[in-house]
Amino acid sequence: MTDTFTRSEVFRRYFNSKELSGPIRSIVELLASDAFSSASFERLVETEVLPRNLNIQETLLDLTLVFARRCVDDHRLSEAEIHELESVVAIFRINESDFHRLRSDAVKEIVYAQAVWILEDEYVTEEEEIRQNDL
């Protein structure tokens, strides 16, 4: 049996487990809420990020990776998890090239860990191939 993790569930746990301050705390709190949307994120950026002249692109990438890592803990991405990841990426206005440019090692680490798990028995099933493709 595999688990499906929701964005709000993952970030509620993250929020409760980390010492966060300022805009990062507000972003994680928004991610943990049911109110997370393009509009609510834009309001947060206007009220907390822009006035402080902060560049939060790398933080947004890191937060997206927090969710991605949790979703692949069970070695699969459900349709719901894929949809939520795509939503977070779209709302944060992250491009695939941003991950490659700024967080290449983290992405490689996630993909490598999944590849090791898949190859552990020296046989790749069709389901494992689909899981790797989803990742």
Side-chain angles (χ1 to χ4, degrees):
M1 175 77 185
T2 56
D3 294 318
T4 297
F5 299 98
T6 65
R7 171 196 36 80
S8 57
E9 169 190 17
V10 168
F11 284 104
R12 265 194 295 273
R13 289 182 181 163
Y14 186 77
F15 184 81
N16 292 331
S17 70
K18 300 286 182 189
E19 289 291 324
L20 304 167
S21 60
I24 296 168
R25 179 181 179 79
S26 297
I27 293 168
V28 173
E29 193 169 29
L30 182 60
L31 282 162
S33 77
D34 293 331
F36 181 67
S37 67
S38 291
S40 62
F41 180 67
E42 288 301 318
R43 278 192 303 275
L44 189 143
V45 168
E46 288 174 10
T47 59
E48 295 201 35
V49 176
L50 293 178
R52 295 179 177 161
N53 199 27
L54 300 174
N55 181 354
I56 62 166
Q57 182 181 25
E58 291 186 29
T59 298
L60 299 178
L61 288 169
D62 291 340
L63 292 173
T64 304
L65 288 168
V66 164
F67 185 48
R69 282 186 188 105
R70 184 65 177 129
C71 290
V72 298
D73 275 353
D74 62 359
H75 307 292
R76 73 179 271 284
L77 284 170
S78 70
E79 289 297 320
E81 290 167 338
I82 291 169
H83 177 73
E84 287 215 70
L85 274 167
E86 289 172 342
S87 176
V88 169
V89 166
I91 290 170
F92 284 170
R93 295 185 182 144
I94 295 172
N95 297 312
E96 188 175 324
S97 63
D98 296 333
F99 285 109
H100 294 294
R101 187 170 45 86
L102 298 169
R103 292 297 182 263
S104 177
D105 289 344
V107 172
K108 287 177 187 173
E109 175 186 307
I110 292 170
V111 173
Y112 177 78
Q114 295 307 306
V116 167
W117 177 80
I118 287 171
L119 297 172
E120 191 172 63
D121 63 1
E122 298 181 8
Y123 179 76
V124 179
T125 65
E126 184 177 341
E127 183 181 347
E128 289 171 335
E129 191 173 324
I130 291 169
R131 288 179 180 182
Q132 189 68 17
N133 188 48
D134 288 345
L135 180 64

